[in-house]
Amino acid sequence: MSVFWRTFAAAFYCLAPVSAVAGPLCPADGFDYMGTAVTFNGDRSAYYLASDTKLVDADGAPNAYHPADAPDACPDSGLGIDCLASAGYPGGSWWRTVLVADPDDPARPAVQRDGPYKGYFVSMTSLRNTALGADSPASYVDAARTPYLVLPAPIYRTDGMGEMGDIGWAINLDNGRSTPFVIADEGPVEPFGEASVAFWRALGGMPNPRNGDGLPDGRIAYAIFPGSGRDAAIGWPINHDALVREAKARLNAAGGAATLRACAGKTSPAWEPTAQ
């Protein structure tokens, strides 16, 4: 996570209810989140939004962070695909939310002892396979291989808005490219639009997590299917073909890409942000 968790304590944004926008495709109610309109389908099996915000997350990638990289600077390149400053190490107190602590020395992050990324820190995601060791990179969702979404804390901590392991579908409204995704991390209070390296690649970008360059142009429309993680058979490590199949089935059940395009970011006077 590139923003320190104290943001959550320093700022609080309400999920402000607004009245529904009537229409054949978007019949249910919604709310405003930091200027972004969120609308539900009729049975609340899906909700939709569109955002111009784009933030890239490298967490969970086994090559995300390397101890030999500069600790207090963030050059455009290095051994890790992201810089240590993003992980909060060594100067920040929040690194334990990004890097796994060494079980033998909890004051330091764990280092991979074997494998292709031997010597790199173990970076984690909120979604993990608890059957595997906490200091194993295989326990977490690889940001470079799996398209995943980061839910801002106020969204994630609101009932009915999704859990770790739930799935969804995104469309780049500029170039038409689309991707399934899994919810794999919780973020701070921030605009909606933080996602993994693989997510942004799928939508047409070549992202650099160190500086945020290479993200695709275009407004991104999202459909999220709350509760879908309970029965979505996507395997571990997450199988991309299975993720496509499961997410597309739910998208089609909710009206398909046409409904997502129509309902995401739906605007009218009723959708103006509610004054706080």
Side-chain angles (χ1 to χ4, degrees), residues 55-76:
L55 301 169
V56 59
D57 191 352
D59 294 354
N63 59 338
Y65 304 103
H66 196 284
D69 279 338
D72 299 314
C74 194
D76 291 346

Side-chain angles (χ1 to χ4, degrees), residues 43-96:
D43 62 2
R44 290 187 172 248
S45 63
Y47 66 90
Y48 313 98
L49 67 151
S51 176
D52 295 308
T53 298
K54 301 180 185 73
L55 301 169
V56 59
D57 191 352
D59 294 354
N63 59 338
Y65 304 103
H66 196 284
D69 279 338
D72 299 314
C74 194
D76 291 346
S77 61
L79 293 172
I81 63 173
D82 204 347
C83 51
L84 291 177
S86 297
Y89 186 81
S93 60
W94 74 95
W95 66 262
R96 289 174 179 81

Side-chain angles (χ1 to χ4, degrees), residues 52 73 79 91 110 127 133 170 177 211 220 230 245 251 259 271:
D52 295 308
L79 293 172
L127 179 62
R177 296 183 65 160
N211 55 23
I220 311 302
R230 299 178 196 130
R245 181 180 63 251
L251 179 69
T259 297
W271 280 107

